[in-house]
Structures are given as structure tokens and as C-alpha cells.
Amino acid sequence: MKHLITGGAGFLGSHLIDNLMKNGESVICLDNFSSGSFENISHWSQNKRFKLIKHNVIEPFFYKADRIWHLACPASPFNYQIQPIETLKTIFLGTNNILELTKKYNARILLASTSEIYGNPEISPQVETYNGSVNITGKRSCYVEGKRVAETLCYDFKRTYDINLRVVRIFNTYGPRMMEKDGRVISNFITQAIRNKPLTIYGNGLQTRSFCYVNDMVEGLICAMNSNYSSPINLGNPEEITIKNLAKKISSILNNKEELEFLDLPDDDPLHRKPCIKVAMDQLNWQPKISLDNGLNKTIQYFSKCFKNEKQ
Ligand code: UDP
């Protein structure tokens, strides 16, 4: 089967490509390298089943595929706020282009939506039927409202043209190939601890997140694509932790003795985030297998290796 992955050179996209390629599938990776990196997919570049296309999804494109995985968009708050107008255009125009492609080739599309669509949730855990509590005009809104409208557009295409649709709401995901410059909490904490610097906590650190290891997430994406379920599905690990406890955990694994450094909490930073994954368990027979401790160790190994290479 032929797969088109937009954003395929990114953190999550490249792990998805690894899985598909290892299973003998044919892959077209489409990326404009705004936040993705060639290194993430270079190991496939000589393979006949792999094709790399440098392209911005804002511009229309027509590559035929049976399965389309629409991941293209900067996903870290730091990255998507640098160019907010570009972010919104990427999400809306990019999703529109990919839906036109889906319609033209009668393909199956999976939209990578996000837990961000729940905003600063008033309920925990977040269920798919919750409509969210979202600031429309804040700095985070370009991504949050963008992804909300992307979902709306998908379901309007489905109602109008009966496209073959899957939508997953991806909660915080971590693992090897996260980028240090992304400003994500896990990559920040690990790289700070490796460099013997204080870990930077935004706000009082009592906000929570639930972190899913990337291999679990890729399996969830594949289960969703292969299923017959076309309503939105939360994918994430329900193991919830405060940011302060996460910092203590990473400091202790890496034996970092520095004090924590408390900085301002960014605007609209959600106070709690924890997925309800009952739909994923019932409909996809999927749930994450890798514990936070286990996943952190694998991620620390990855960053330690990068750090050693950097020093040589
Ligand atoms: N955060 C932090 N220190 C950092 C980076 C992030 O305390 O160096 C906090 C951030 O304010 C948020 C949480 O960690 O409350 C998760 O941030 P991240 O950017 O990884 O993901 P998201 O906010 O999208 O869940």
C-alpha cells in the first residue's frame, strides 16, 4: 500500500515512517523542513520504497496514495508561536489541500489533531465529547483554533463528499528525536540535567501533563488508521504527573543537584491535561504499554548520546 505522510520528517512523522517502512509499505514523505529534519529520515533515503518531497502543504499538491497521514504543522508551543499566521495557514490551507487530495484519489485520511483543542479543560480526564475551554484571541490560539477548525473542515468534507476519515487527538508525546530547540518540557529538562544546569519550571510546577512514549503513540495511530471508527479518538498515556514532580524525577535519574529555577507561566498554559482513552481501548483495542520511567530512560539515553557526539 502507498502512504503519504505530511510532516514526515518531524519527530512523530519519522517514527511513523520507520514503522511503515519496516513493515514493507511504500512511503512518500512530504515536508518543508520548517520544524522537521532530514536526519530523522535520512536512513531511508536510498530505499526504493521511500520518496522524499520537499513541499509546503499550504500550496496544493497531488501525489497519489491509498493512506494519507496528515501531520504537517509545527507542534510545540515555542515553534508554532514564532510564526502564528503561518501556523494558522498551514493548518487550515494545508488541511484543505490534503482533503482535496483525499477526495480526488478516494484515499483514507488520518488527521493528527491534538489535546490542545480542549484548551484549559474544566474536566479531567478529558473525554472526546468535551468541547473544551479555549481562548480565541491568545498567543496559543493560532494552533488551538487552527486544529479545531481543521477538525471541522474534515467533518464537513465527510458530510459533503463522504470521505474516508480518521481523526486522532494526540496528547503530549515524547521520545528519541525530540528536538532540543523545540522548548518542550521533557527535552528541556533532560538536556538541562545532562548539562548540569537548573531545570526551568514555568509557574509553580503544579500544572499536570500525561506523557505518552512515541512508539506507543505510533501504534495508536496505526490502529486508528486501520479501524472503521471515524469519530475523534484521544490517543495518549493517562499516567498524569505534575511538572514539578517530572523535574524531580529527571533530576534524580540524571543525578542533577542544581536547584529548580522558577520562571513565569506562559499565557493560556493548561493547568491539567489527562486523556480518557476508553474510546481508544474499546474501538482500537489500544492502550500505551511503556511506563513514564521506562520511556524517560530511553529518551535520556538518546539525548546522552547526542550530547557525547556534540562534545567530540
Ligand atoms: N514547561 C516547563 N518548563 C520548560 C518547558 C515547559 O515548566 O522548560 C511546562 C509548560 O509551561 C507546560 C508543560 O511544561 O505547563 C508542558 O509544556 P510543553 O511545551 O512540553 O507542552 P504543552 O504545553 O503543549 O503541553
Side-chain angles (χ1 to χ4, degrees), residues 296-307:
L296 282 178
N297 278 318
K298 290 173 195 277
T299 312
I300 287 169
Q301 271 173 30
Y302 166 80
F303 277 112
S304 302
K305 210 166 138 196
C306 296
F307 185 62

Side-chain angles (χ1 to χ4, degrees), residues 75-78 80 115-116 140 143 172 178 182-189 192 199-203 205 207-209 211 243-244 246 263-266 269-271 273:
S76 78
F78 172 75
Y80 65 67
S115 56
E116 292 263 339
R140 241 180 142 103
Y143 186 72
N172 296 65
M178 290 183 95
D182 244 9
R184 290 279 192 178
V185 69
I186 289 196
S187 43
N188 272 8
F189 285 176
Q192 288 162 346
L199 272 55
T200 51
I201 300 223
Y202 303 161
Q207 70 271 37
T208 68
R209 292 293 185 274
F211 296 98
I243 295 303
K244 195 169 172 186
L246 177 72
L263 303 172
D264 289 343
L265 187 69
D269 197 287
L271 284 181
R273 189 178 286 153

Side-chain angles (χ1 to χ4, degrees), residues 73-307:
C73 187
S76 78
F78 172 75
N79 262 325
Y80 65 67
Q81 289 174 31
I82 297 177
Q83 289 184 301
I85 299 168
E86 196 68 12
T87 298
L88 259 171
K89 282 186 182 169
T90 302
I91 303 176
F92 180 68
L93 298 174
T95 304
N96 186 58
N97 287 335
I98 206 88
L99 286 165
E100 289 292 351
L101 187 73
T102 305
K103 187 173 78 151
K104 182 174 162 85
Y105 293 123
N106 204 12
R108 181 180 293 185
I109 181 179
L110 178 140
L111 171 76
S113 184
T114 165
S115 56
E116 292 263 339
I117 62 117
Y118 298 120
N120 189 12
E122 300 126 317
I123 62 160
S124 187
Q126 290 87 57
V127 287
E128 287 86 348
T129 46
Y130 176 55
N131 284 331
S133 162
V134 173
N135 180 353
I136 304 159
T137 56
K139 287 185 196 156
R140 241 180 142 103
S141 311
C142 57
Y143 186 72
V144 180
E145 290 292 4
K147 286 288 184 179
R148 286 168 70 94
V149 86
E151 285 200 20
T152 308
L153 194 61
C154 282
Y155 286 100
D156 281 336
F157 261 76
K158 182 166 172 49
R159 278 183 287 268
T160 311
Y161 304 111
D162 195 27
I163 60 159
N164 202 345
L165 175 69
R166 308 287 178 269
V167 173
V168 291
R169 295 180 178 156
I170 298 174
F171 283 65
N172 296 65
T173 303
Y174 70 101
R177 297 191 196 143
M178 290 183 95
M179 281 187 305
E180 190 175 346
K181 66 176 169 52
D182 244 9
R184 290 279 192 178
V185 69
I186 289 196
S187 43
N188 272 8
F189 285 176
I190 293 177
T191 52
Q192 288 162 346
I194 289 176
R195 295 177 204 285
N196 281 314
K197 291 190 173 152
L199 272 55
T200 51
I201 300 223
Y202 303 161
N204 59 14
L206 297 181
Q207 70 271 37
T208 68
R209 292 293 185 274
S210 308
F211 296 98
C212 185
Y213 189 67
V214 65
N215 291 19
D216 278 335
M217 183 55 67
V218 166
E219 280 181 17
L221 295 177
I222 291 170
C223 290
M225 181 62 109
N226 291 341
S227 78
N228 290 322
Y229 192 78
S230 58
S231 297
I233 307 184
N234 288 339
L235 291 181
N237 190 324
E239 195 182 337
E240 190 179 19
I241 185 168
T242 65
I243 295 303
K244 195 169 172 186
N245 284 344
L246 177 72
K248 286 185 187 162
K249 198 185 255 295
I250 292 175
S251 285
S252 122
I253 303 173
L254 281 162
N255 203 17
N256 178 295
K257 304 268 185 260
E258 295 291 323
E259 296 283 312
L260 301 174
E261 184 182 355
F262 288 85
L263 303 172
D264 289 343
L265 187 69
D267 290 346
D268 297 322
D269 197 287
L271 284 181
H272 302 284
R273 189 178 286 153
K274 174 184 162 90
C276 168
I277 58 163
K278 190 173 179 316
V279 174
M281 287 164 74
D282 292 349
Q283 297 292 333
L284 311 181
N285 197 18
W286 172 88
Q287 62 180 335
K289 299 186 198 95
I290 299 166
S291 67
L292 183 59
D293 284 342
N294 190 356
L296 282 178
N297 278 318
K298 290 173 195 277
T299 312
I300 287 169
Q301 271 173 30
Y302 166 80
F303 277 112
S304 302
K305 210 166 138 196
C306 296
F307 185 62

